[in-house]
Amino acid sequence: MESVWTEDTEIRRREPLPGDREVPAVVIGAGLAGILTAYYLQKEGIRTVVLEADRIGSGQTKNTTAKITSQHNLIYSRLIRTFGRRMAEHYASANETAIGEYERLIREKGIRCDFARCPAYLYTQTRPELLKQETEAAASLGIQATFGTGCELPFPVTGVTRFQGQARFHPLKFLAGMAEEVEVYEQTKVLKVEGRRVETARGTVTAEHIVFASHYPFLNVPGWYFARMHQERSYVLALEGAERLEGMYLGIDQGGLSFRSSGDLLLLGGGGHRTGVSRKDGAGQGYMLLRGRAEEIYPGCRETAHWSAQDCVTLDGLPFIGRFSRCRPCWYVATGFGKWGMTTAMVSARILTALIGGRECPEGDIFSPGRRFTAQAAKGLAVHGAYTVKGLAKHLLPSGDREIVPNCPHMGCRLEWNPEEESYDCPCHGSRFRREGRLIDGPAQTDCRRKEEGRG
């Protein structure tokens, strides 16, 4: 099922790339990060074209809950401990600035996208001491953060952290408006990137600067992003008959939920898990979990829509924004946004524009793909590596008489069947395929055709 954002918004179609081009900059991917990056580069006087394999906004932008916030779960106390106060301030400042920049653009261009300032809350039913620490850390970095014990949620909590001056909006209405400002070619899938050449089936674009804003970088080397990230699924229900909330909420406890109103609907999110890995304890996940919780919290509510999203998660939980690799100085990347793609899309556009324009960008240090390797990253690498080894090992097992399960064409990991979404999902790097083998998304570049016993 499609998200509520797609129900009332259709972005104007663009033609495919008409042939070879030579431009100063090319952006791969026409989601929010790609369109905003192209817009700011154009404002700097750097002609930019955007190449999109499908349609503008057809990727993860349409599946968001559309929160524009600097409140990214329990992050600021960890950033101060791990990277120091200066880099933590850069993270806070970049995200707070992004909120204001959205508001400025929307007002300047008269984009009607339901933008509204509102508070964002973290809540807990069991660990108020963690929220107190996070509140203190965020406030020390200049964020308007306060701790309390009461909120508008219809169940008891033991603590909430409130971030003032956050925002929400309609992402596709905003994207439609901004896409009118840039040169986009749809149905133009990038097949290969070598040096300054971006090859597609429609022609080749030669550029001084190449930006990968395609959610997950599809090249394995250089950069090795497949080893530095994994992907996670998350789920959303749109509910009618549930109480409208002034603020946006996210639970920090295990199984915590996300709440956010949109018009007369309440968007209830949660049930997330690593792509290609399902729970084995029978507790349910995804839509099953959310529907049960919706009935508990809002008896009699009605589901009007449901959808899911896929997020790239880095080893240390921070995005990769900056130069793609030391050996490719003219390549740039924006990926690993976690659950915070709306704010981070704006952060990416501003950082990448500064780098390409040759300007100083102090805030880029905390997001740099070349930042130092932390203990959390080391732990994440061990976990991620274990899933990859397991997936590759399954690929090598004999299938016997049972149905042959397809392997991911990205790196050969055995795919897992996702019954709720009727897709084959890769537990290694997150590529997903329809039942018949058509690629949905992920780092894989080709379809996965299933083979049956006795056939080639």
Side-chain angles (χ1 to χ4, degrees):
M1 196 168 184
E2 295 293 319
S3 72
V4 294
W5 317 123
T6 64
E7 293 177 355
D8 58 359
T9 305
E10 185 168 349
I11 299 175
R12 180 174 67 84
R13 288 185 178 273
R14 285 10 181 234
E15 294 298 319
L17 183 70
D20 294 349
R21 289 284 189 276
E22 186 167 350
V23 292
V26 58
V27 175
I28 304 169
L32 197 51
I35 294 297
L36 284 173
T37 300
Y39 168 77
Y40 283 110
L41 288 173
Q42 289 283 149
K43 295 291 284 185
E44 292 276 325
I46 302 171
R47 187 191 169 197
T48 305
V49 301
V50 182
L51 306 178
E52 169 56 45
D54 192 357
R55 295 288 319 283
I56 296 170
S58 60
Q60 299 310 312
T61 299
K62 72 180 188 303
N63 296 324
T64 177
T65 52
K67 298 176 181 178
I68 308 173
T69 174
S70 60
Q71 186 189 73
H72 299 168
N73 212 318
L74 298 175
I75 190 170
Y76 290 107
S77 56
R78 175 172 67 85
L79 287 182
I80 292 172
R81 290 195 309 271
T82 306
F83 292 98
R85 180 166 300 278
R86 183 180 63 84
M87 292 181 73
E89 287 174 345
H90 288 168
Y91 188 95
S93 173
N95 283 283
E96 284 284 291
T97 300
I99 302 169
E101 188 63 9
Y102 270 114
E103 185 170 32
R104 186 192 68 79
L105 282 178
I106 289 165
R107 288 181 175 176
E108 177 185 293
K109 300 186 178 300
I111 301 174
R112 301 179 66 178
C113 60
D114 308 324
F115 178 89
R117 289 276 191 168
C118 61
Y121 297 84
L122 296 174
Y123 73 87
T124 182
Q125 295 181 294
T126 60
R127 303 289 300 277
E129 68 279 3
L130 293 180
L131 288 186
K132 290 177 181 178
Q133 293 172 12
E134 184 67 8
T135 304
E136 182 179 346
S140 73
L141 300 173
I143 295 173
Q144 296 183 56
T146 56
F147 176 82
T149 56
C151 66
E152 56 187 328
L153 290 173
F155 50 82
V157 300
T158 59
V160 292
T161 290
R162 173 185 171 121
F163 277 31
Q164 187 63 31
Q166 310 300 292
R168 58 180 180 240
F169 73 151
H170 189 304
L172 292 190
K173 288 181 179 179
F174 175 78
L175 185 63
M178 294 306 301
E180 294 297 328
E181 306 277 339
V182 299
E183 183 179 352
V184 185
Y185 296 104
E186 296 182 329
Q187 303 300 322
T188 304
K189 183 176 182 178
V190 174
L191 305 175
K192 186 192 303 184
V193 182
E194 290 185 343
R196 299 182 185 276
R197 292 168 52 86
V198 179
E199 297 183 18
T200 81
R202 308 281 187 171
T204 297
V205 178
T206 303
E208 297 174 28
H209 307 283
I210 300 170
V211 176
F212 292 77
S214 53
H215 181 63
Y216 196 117
F218 52 86
L219 297 180
N220 288 337
V221 291
W224 303 88
Y225 289 98
F226 72 91
R228 303 165 68 188
M229 296 191 299
H230 71 276
Q231 300 204 61
E232 294 185 1
R233 305 292 297 160
S234 56
Y235 303 84
V236 184
L237 304 182
L239 303 176
E240 207 173 51
E243 183 180 351
R244 179 178 172 79
L245 301 174
E246 175 203 2
M248 305 177 293
Y249 291 82
L250 177 67
I252 68 164
D253 304 327
Q254 186 172 2
L257 301 174
S258 165
F259 299 81
R260 177 258 210 247
S261 291
S262 175
D264 295 329
L265 300 175
L266 180 76
L267 307 187
L268 178 67
H273 59 90
R274 184 186 176 105
T275 303
V277 178
S278 59
R279 294 182 62 163
K280 306 297 184 182
D281 59 7
Q285 62 186 31
Y287 299 127
M288 181 191 305
L289 181 147
L290 288 179
R291 286 168 182 147
R293 294 303 309 275
E295 186 58 35
E296 291 174 14
I297 300 170
Y298 303 106
C301 67
R302 186 175 74 88
E303 178 185 326
T304 65
H306 64 266
W307 68 94
S308 58
Q310 182 142 306
D311 297 290
C312 295
V313 181
T314 66
L315 297 176
D316 61 9
L318 302 178
F320 290 137
I321 306 168
R323 297 193 187 277
F324 196 97
S325 168
R326 289 182 181 178
C327 61
R328 296 291 188 276
C330 65
W331 292 7
Y332 306 83
V333 68
T335 189
F337 293 176
K339 313 291 184 180
W340 312 107
M342 297 298 94
T343 323
T344 310
M346 180 66 79
V347 172
S348 298
R350 292 171 60 80
I351 289 175
L352 296 180
T353 300
L355 288 173
I356 292 171
R359 292 187 283 107
E360 288 290 324
C361 185
E363 294 173 348
D365 56 4
I366 187 67
F367 301 99
S368 171
R371 63 180 174 266
R372 67 182 176 84
F373 200 69
T374 65
Q376 180 182 350
K379 181 178 179 181
L381 180 61
V383 173
H384 179 53
Y387 279 109
T388 301
V389 169
K390 184 177 180 181
L392 290 170
K394 283 185 177 181
H395 166 51
L396 300 174
L397 292 174
S399 58
D401 295 327
R402 62 180 172 76
E403 179 186 35
I404 294 178
V405 178
N407 300 313
C408 181
H410 174 234
M411 293 187 72
C413 290
R414 181 62 56 90
L415 301 178
E416 299 289 341
W417 177 245
N418 177 348
E420 275 203 307
E421 300 183 273
E422 297 189 342
S423 62
Y424 279 102
D425 301 349
C426 178
C428 299
H429 309 112
S431 294
R432 302 181 63 240
F433 305 85
R434 298 291 183 200
R435 183 189 290 270
E436 72 278 10
R438 182 169 61 84
L439 177 66
I440 302 173
D441 57 22
Q445 284 289 86
T446 60
D447 292 346
C448 175
R449 300 299 180 190
R450 298 180 61 231
K451 299 177 182 178
E452 297 182 10
E453 293 283 5
R455 299 184 182 178

